Amino acid sequence: MYAQPIAEAKAPVRLAQNRIRPLVLAFFRLISPLYMKATLGFSRVRLLNAERLVRAYADFFQGKTRLLVAFRHPYGDEAQLMAYVIGKLLTREAKARGIELAQKPHAHFVHGYEVPLWAGAFERWLLPRVGALPVYHAKFDSPSVRRIRGLMKDGRYPIALAPEGQVSYSSEEPPRLESGASRICLWCAEDLKREGRNEAVVLLPISIHQRWPKATEKALDALILGMEGDCGLARVAGESRFERLQRLGEAVLAAAEQQYRHFYGAELPETPGLSSAQRLSGLRQAALTTAERCFHLKPEGDEIRRVYRIRQTGWDRIFRADMADSEQMPALKRSLADRLAGEAWYASRHMELVDLAYYLDLDRLKPEDPLELYIETAQNYYDLISRLMGGNISQRKALRPKEGIVIVGKPLPVDRTLKALGLQVKPSKAATEALNRVLLAEFLTCIEEIRQARLG
């Protein structure tokens, strides 16, 4: 959702036909090292277990497999990072191993349909020209599904997506996985079988982490100081960094509770004995209920499903399907549409809060935790304050420079994986859930690997 208030309704956005332009792709491969450093702030990117990614692409290009790259999405810039890894580092790693790839590697990245709406005109121009694929979270879109399913089966490049469905804000906690990645793989297996083809369908997990040099502690302390100022907290002499973050979390939670209790009629208990998790859960429910009341939506599904429906409704009121020829609209109708769009933007602020707060654990940080988890926590607190002040993910604070660590997990051949579990390889609920559990287990293995590397 836009970071600044909306004042007028807009005509619907139409993306160009999805078709890779080789010159566009070549240009962005060329400038990607500069983009990673100057724009995203990566001092370097390390690719661990690189041979798994090299072999996965070599097998794909040789026609042995159909491949889906499932990468974690904890920070926000993982799609760009993975495009760099696949477009630049993969070729280098293949050459280092004496493996010749049949063509320059790339992937069709799947993204939420709303990304081109809030990201801007350049992204709307770029995404279809590099083969990116939009999908809806809150409704079934047959053309998008057919396009993804067709490219998974016959595309020149693999599919790449974040199985969380959106940013999940924690690199070392078990993610909530959508069913999309597993379902696409199962559809592909079914389609291949129907055509009598023998390629294996492979799901490749990739976990992504960030690290910062010790010198970043100064920027971290400055970030904490700025948040204390935003919350009206006076600096306490002798307070540790951990204590300052704990006090910040409490201050933000208390301010949000007061806002929803006194101005939105939320029945939030004032019991001192409640844990931070219980209070945060109550706050999320209050925010969701407030947004749904504004949009006349009934609560359906889990919290993230409710977030998706609210987001979809907000965008539909800002980008109006009936405004293709807005200049011909009567002034009254146009003014009413503008007012509705403005109200939708403000109602969506409640959704933006839950979009982040769902993934937060205010008690997760421990005094002995390493610098990267302190930075991750501080960035999330900054984002939480920003959401309460009307912001969105585009205003997320990122400390720089940073190092990217990309861990390639164990490839999961869908057929063998499910048969080992005693399940048929078909797009059933049982098979989808089982494949998701295996994918989650592999992500946890990657997380444990990064923790052990830290200890070592």
Side-chain angles (χ1 to χ4, degrees):
M1 190 62 71
Y2 286 104
Q4 299 300 321
I6 294 292
E8 61 180 24
K10 304 175 185 296
V13 169
R14 307 295 184 195
L15 292 177
Q17 182 181 359
N18 184 285
R19 185 164 63 87
I20 292 176
R21 277 36 171 207
L23 289 178
V24 174
L25 201 54
F27 175 73
F28 278 94
R29 282 197 185 107
L30 179 66
I31 68 168
S32 62
L34 178 62
Y35 174 79
M36 293 298 294
K37 186 172 184 178
T39 304
L40 298 185
F42 285 100
S43 57
R44 70 166 178 162
V45 177
R46 286 196 287 153
L47 181 58
L48 306 185
N49 304 329
E51 65 282 355
R52 291 173 172 171
L53 185 60
V54 171
R55 177 50 56 194
Y57 262 81
D59 289 346
F60 177 87
F61 287 146
Q62 291 169 14
K64 297 178 181 178
T65 64
R66 304 305 301 173
L67 176 64
L68 190 148
V69 178
F71 58 90
R72 285 288 321 277
H73 199 13
Y75 301 103
D77 49 18
E78 284 75 30
Q80 301 97 308
L81 176 60
M82 283 304 304
Y84 170 73
V85 167
I86 293 171
K88 296 292 287 189
L89 299 190
L90 178 54
T91 301
R92 181 194 311 168
E93 295 290 345
K95 288 182 179 178
R97 290 163 173 75
I99 297 175
E100 184 175 351
L101 299 177
Q103 55 183 297
K104 291 183 178 180
H106 183 53
H108 291 282
F109 283 83
V110 177
H111 62 85
Y113 95 101
E114 72 278 0
V115 171
L117 301 183
W118 60 259
F122 176 71
E123 286 78 5
R124 289 195 288 273
W125 176 88
L126 175 65
L127 289 172
R129 289 167 174 80
V130 295
L133 303 165
V135 294
Y136 287 88
H137 290 300
K139 62 182 180 181
F140 186 78
D141 180 35
S142 295
S144 293
V145 171
R146 284 197 300 269
R147 190 159 48 245
I148 293 171
R149 191 166 178 168
L151 286 171
M152 182 67 191
K153 179 172 70 75
D154 295 315
R156 184 180 176 184
Y157 301 108
I159 298 290
L161 59 80
E164 290 108 315
Q166 58 177 14
V167 181
S168 55
Y169 302 99
S170 178
S171 63
E172 297 192 17
E173 293 296 321
R176 171 194 179 277
L177 300 183
E178 298 277 354
S179 61
S182 295
R183 187 178 294 125
I184 291 169
C185 287
L186 291 167
W187 281 338
C188 186
E190 182 182 52
D191 293 341
L192 294 175
K193 182 179 180 180
R194 184 183 299 114
E195 295 182 10
R197 293 163 55 176
N198 59 6
E199 300 104 307
V201 179
V202 176
L203 181 59
L204 184 65
I206 294 183
S207 189
I208 295 176
H209 305 266
Q210 294 181 2
R211 295 291 180 266
W212 291 263
K214 186 173 176 56
T216 313
E217 289 185 338
K218 291 183 179 180
L220 172 60
D221 289 334
L223 177 61
I224 295 173
L225 183 63
M227 289 189 289
E228 288 170 335
D230 288 338
C231 295
L233 296 178
R235 183 71 189 276
V236 177
E239 234 184 359
S240 68
R241 189 179 290 142
F242 174 79
E243 291 169 330
R244 294 172 71 189
L245 284 171
Q246 289 295 103
R247 197 156 61 96
L248 261 173
E250 168 61 31
V252 176
L253 192 55
E257 286 174 328
Q258 183 180 23
Q259 181 80 356
Y260 278 94
R261 187 182 291 122
H262 291 289
F263 297 104
Y264 297 107
E267 296 181 357
L268 295 172
E270 300 191 45
T271 307
L274 290 179
S275 67
S276 294
Q278 290 172 317
R279 294 171 64 191
L280 192 60
S281 176
L283 180 60
R284 294 197 307 267
Q285 293 303 316
L288 285 169
T289 299
T290 303
E292 287 166 342
R293 188 186 306 127
C294 293
F295 288 133
H296 299 286
L297 296 173
K298 294 181 179 179
E300 295 177 1
D302 65 14
E303 291 183 34
I304 294 301
R305 288 291 153 201
R306 293 167 71 184
V307 163
Y308 289 162
R309 290 183 68 227
I310 293 165
R311 182 186 294 154
Q312 176 76 54
T313 304
W315 283 120
D316 287 347
R317 294 189 181 185
I318 293 170
F319 289 89
R320 294 281 293 271
D322 59 347
M323 288 187 61
D325 191 8
S326 59
E327 293 183 0
Q328 301 302 316
M329 292 179 68
L332 175 59
K333 187 175 181 180
R334 176 62 201 239
S335 295
L336 290 172
D338 291 343
R339 190 174 78 180
L340 193 66
E343 292 170 350
W345 185 89
Y346 280 101
S348 295
R349 297 310 91 200
H350 306 290
M351 174 275 297
E352 292 285 359
L353 171 62
V354 182
D355 176 60
L356 168 69
Y358 175 85
Y359 300 98
L360 298 188
D361 179 352
L362 300 181
D363 297 321
R364 179 180 297 154
L365 188 69
K366 301 295 183 289
E368 66 274 11
D369 277 341
L371 177 62
E372 54 264 23
L373 296 187
Y374 270 85
I375 291 176
E376 188 175 292
T377 299
Q379 289 179 157
N380 285 340
Y381 283 8
Y382 180 92
D383 206 358
L384 186 61
I385 294 170
S386 172
R387 302 289 176 102
L388 286 166
M389 294 171 67
N392 66 9
I393 194 170
S394 65
Q395 296 168 313
R396 184 166 171 77
K397 190 74 171 180
L399 300 188
R400 304 173 180 184
K402 58 190 178 184
E403 177 186 57
I405 302 177
V406 178
I407 305 177
V408 184
K410 182 175 65 176
L412 305 173
V414 171
D415 185 280
R416 294 208 310 264
T417 299
L418 290 178
K419 286 183 177 178
L421 297 172
L423 293 169
Q424 291 183 314
V425 185
K426 61 180 184 179
S428 64
K429 181 179 179 181
T432 302
E433 291 177 349
L435 196 55
N436 254 17
R437 287 194 295 271
V438 177
L439 177 60
L440 178 59
E442 190 56 35
F443 281 140
L444 291 175
T445 298
C446 293
I447 290 171
E448 185 58 30
E449 184 175 340
I450 199 75
R451 286 172 176 166
Q452 292 301 319
R454 180 194 296 139
L455 295 174

